[in-house]
Amino acid sequence: METALTKVKSEEYGGELIQLVSFNLEKEEYGINVLMVREIIRMLNITRVPNTPHYVEGVINLRGKVIPIINLRKKFDLMENDYDKRTRIMVMEVVGELMGFIVDEVSEVIRISEKEIQPPPPVVSSGIEQECMAGVINQANRLLVLLDLEKMFTADERRLFTNVG
């Protein structure tokens, strides 16, 4: 199944290229389709919202629009970490809704060949939380996990975020 990955025709690379924004969480590197990313901002004051899932930090006001903020460390059951000068909020459109995702650090925009994407290993992809894992990219002695954020949340969770913002 093909997601909304950015494709660029290029004879130089010999085929379809995909542009990804790479970011870090707990020393692991992840990639997300560059078209989903609206902007990358420094940490802001987050207003807490009661009765939300543990991974929802709250909401921010971004130029008059209230958007929910998701802590990806908590969503992926990683150990919590203090925010530092590299911590960023990646504002992305997921299933038609703007959402902010807290990440440890945004690395770079990379171009990869579609052929470099390998399916996630069956052991990893069988977990319900890992349904958002679209593939794995082995590039220059590093592994990058490709995410499909549209599969990260259940229909009930998406409805909740619509009400939060």
Side-chain angles (χ1 to χ4, degrees):
M1 182 178 117
E2 195 172 300
T3 59
L5 295 174
T6 307
K7 291 185 179 179
V8 179
K9 287 280 190 193
S10 172
E11 291 179 22
E12 176 185 343
Y13 290 94
E16 302 278 348
L17 287 185
I18 300 168
Q19 291 183 327
L20 305 171
V21 176
S22 68
F23 63 91
N24 295 317
L25 283 175
E26 189 71 28
K27 298 178 184 162
E28 297 297 329
E29 195 169 13
Y30 296 86
I32 192 75
N33 173 5
V34 76
L35 285 182
M36 293 186 76
V37 180
R38 292 292 174 250
E39 59 187 294
I40 298 167
I41 58 176
R42 295 183 189 274
M43 284 299 296
L44 300 172
N45 287 331
I46 298 172
T47 302
R48 301 250 182 241
V49 178
N51 300 318
T52 56
H54 74 284
Y55 54 83
V56 177
E57 290 292 314
V59 295
I60 62 170
N61 183 336
L62 187 64
R63 289 183 296 285
K65 180 148 178 71
V66 177
I67 60 172
I69 302 299
I70 308 302
N71 186 324
L72 278 182
R73 278 180 166 270
K74 289 181 182 178
K75 180 67 177 164
F76 292 159
D77 291 325
L78 299 173
M79 194 166 60
E80 289 189 52
N81 202 12
D82 291 335
Y83 304 141
D84 61 26
K85 64 182 181 181
R86 294 181 315 248
T87 305
R88 295 289 183 267
I89 298 174
M90 295 177 66
V91 179
M92 297 186 242
E93 189 170 329
V94 181
V95 194
E97 294 291 326
L98 278 183
M99 304 172 97
F101 293 87
I102 299 173
V103 300
D104 294 350
E105 179 179 22
V106 175
S107 306
E108 61 185 326
V109 175
I110 59 173
R111 289 182 174 192
I112 60 148
S113 167
E114 206 172 36
K115 296 173 188 169
E116 292 180 72
I117 300 173
Q118 300 171 13
V123 172
V124 175
S125 61
S126 64
I128 198 152
E129 285 294 329
Q130 298 302 326
E131 287 180 1
C132 62
M133 190 174 175
V136 178
I137 300 154
N138 187 359
Q139 186 184 55
N141 297 328
R142 67 180 187 180
L143 284 178
L144 186 126
V145 177
L146 180 61
L147 297 178
D148 182 351
L149 293 182
E150 297 195 357
K151 293 182 179 177
M152 182 180 293
F153 303 107
T154 65
D156 288 340
E157 287 173 316
R158 288 194 297 271
R159 277 192 292 279
L160 171 72
F161 300 138
T162 305
N163 294 333
V164 168

